[in-house]
């Protein structure tokens, strides 16, 4: 069985990350949390999602173990922020030229991870 990364493909992953951060950086609930250059964040996320979706461990090779929750700790993330993040992801997925069931499968993978990043009350 192919990995989600293989089914999505590297080109579509790039498109996804691109569209996702364009939405995040213009989202009134969460854009203020992002202080790093947009292109730098896009590249980190592309490396991370490659491995998150079962592809090669590009992020770990460059940055070490993801420790994703710990890396998010400096940023106060509420449940409302997680929902906004997921809605940007949902819209970015919807815009991709891929099958509907792959969009759904990918979205489902993001939900628990996004909720796990919540580190403060609303
Ligand atoms: C729940 C809502 C989330 C919020 C509000 C959020 C916010 C952030 C912020 C503010 C940063 C730092 C950006 C900067 O350097 O300025 C960041 C980094 C990052 N986030 Fe999230 N995030 C969320 C969920 C997620 C999820 C679900 C994933 C993965 C599936 C993820 C993956 C990453 C990665 C890979 C980085 C880069 C870490 C590094 O510095 O190496 N985030 N996020």
């Amino acid at each position: 069985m192919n990995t989600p990364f293989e089914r999505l493909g590297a080109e579509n992953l790039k498109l996804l990350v691109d569209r996702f951060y364009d939405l995040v950086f213009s989202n009134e609930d969460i854009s203020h949390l992002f202080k790093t250059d947009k292109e730098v964040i896009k590249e980190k996320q592309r490396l991370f999602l490659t491995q998150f979706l079962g592809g090669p461990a590009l992020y770990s090779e460059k940055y070490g173990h993801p420790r994703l929750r710990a890396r998010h700790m400096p940023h106060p993330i509420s449940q409302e922020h997680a929902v906004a993040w997921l809605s940007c992801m949902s819209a970015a997925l919807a815009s991709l030229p891929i099958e509907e069931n792959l969009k759904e499968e990918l979205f489902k993978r993001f939900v628990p991870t996004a909720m796990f990043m919540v580190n403060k009350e609303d």
Side-chain angles (χ1 to χ4, degrees):
M1 185 69 179
N2 289 338
T3 62
F5 171 73
E6 284 166 329
R7 289 163 59 210
L8 177 61
E11 273 312 301
N12 283 327
L13 176 56
K14 242 180 147 192
L15 264 186
L16 175 64
V17 168
D18 233 43
R19 291 178 181 177
F20 172 67
Y21 281 109
D22 289 349
L23 292 166
V24 164
F25 275 73
S26 59
N27 184 287
E28 59 176 20
D29 294 324
I30 55 175
S31 60
H32 66 280
L33 294 170
F34 292 81
K35 320 258 190 236
T36 308
D37 179 79
K38 184 156 76 166
E39 294 309 313
V40 172
I41 299 187
K42 281 182 180 176
E43 181 59 7
K44 275 190 165 177
Q45 188 64 279
R46 187 184 70 79
L47 299 179
F48 177 76
L49 291 183
T50 298
Q51 76 188 59
F52 182 74
L53 298 175
L58 303 181
Y59 180 92
S60 294
E61 279 166 21
K62 194 154 179 199
Y63 299 108
H65 192 286
R67 300 181 303 110
L68 217 51
R69 192 162 196 279
R71 285 191 207 259
H72 282 77
M73 274 302 179
H75 315 287
I77 299 175
S78 66
Q79 194 167 323
E80 199 182 320
H81 294 143
V83 170
W85 190 104
L86 285 167
S87 82
C88 292
M89 183 53 77
S90 170
L93 282 168
S95 78
L96 294 184
I98 59 173
E99 283 180 21
E100 290 304 314
N101 60 1
L102 181 55
K103 293 179 188 178
E104 270 170 44
E105 187 186 323
L106 293 173
F107 185 72
K108 280 192 195 146
R109 287 188 168 236
F110 288 118
V111 176
T113 308
M115 290 308 164
F116 186 53
M117 295 308 142
V118 173
N119 55 24
K120 73 155 205 164
E121 301 281 315
D122 273 328

